[in-house]
Amino acid sequence: MKRLLVVDDEPQILELLELALSLEGYEVVTAPSGEVALEAAVTRQPDLIVLDVILGGMDGFETAQRLRGLTPVPIVFLTAMGTEQDRARGLALGQAYLIKPFRPAQLLEVIRAQLEAAAS
């Protein structure tokens, strides 16, 4: 079973993603901040990270930069930050960049593709 780390400071989003991804057969670990995500990335060793940009404290871009020093796993940004500049910055740090509101099927498709790419 693949383990996903979902990072978002909105409890409702964490709950929604945890439920949706669990129903698809993933083990889901959640983190409400970048700091907690860094710790979880080391202790829980996820296969993929779903990361919001807008977080209290350390933002998602800084979190991704620090994660790159800890783990090679794919990072999928899921955020309301939708400018081309934000997207370019996100894609420089991660493998995919999705804008909220999002379609769960789209997120699942991206997650599957990234997990397959990481396995090959």
Side-chain angles (χ1 to χ4, degrees):
M1 176 183 295
K2 296 291 184 182
R3 180 178 298 138
L4 308 179
L5 172 58
V6 178
V7 188
D8 200 303
D9 63 348
E10 293 183 42
Q12 304 89 339
I13 298 288
L14 283 180
E15 287 178 32
L16 171 74
L17 290 173
E18 183 173 20
L19 177 62
L21 296 171
S22 295
L23 289 173
E24 292 294 321
Y26 295 108
E27 178 185 341
V28 181
V29 176
T30 61
S33 69
E35 292 82 3
V36 174
L38 294 174
E39 183 179 325
V42 172
T43 60
R44 302 301 303 274
Q45 300 180 342
D47 297 292
L48 182 139
I49 299 167
V50 177
L51 179 61
D52 190 7
V53 173
I54 304 167
L55 299 170
M58 180 178 14
D59 73 17
F61 293 135
E62 184 179 346
T63 301
Q65 233 170 352
R66 291 186 183 195
L67 284 166
R68 282 287 156 249
L70 298 173
T71 180
V73 304
I75 295 173
V76 173
F77 283 98
L78 180 63
T79 183
M81 302 279 290
T83 69
E84 282 304 311
Q85 184 178 8
D86 293 327
R87 185 178 179 78
R89 188 171 177 200
L91 289 173
L93 294 166
Q95 283 63 42
Y97 196 92
L98 301 176
I99 307 295
K100 294 177 185 174
F102 64 98
R103 291 186 347 268
Q106 180 187 26
L107 176 61
L108 287 168
E109 185 179 304
V110 169
I111 287 172
R112 284 189 199 108
Q114 292 304 319
L115 287 171
E116 286 177 20
S120 58

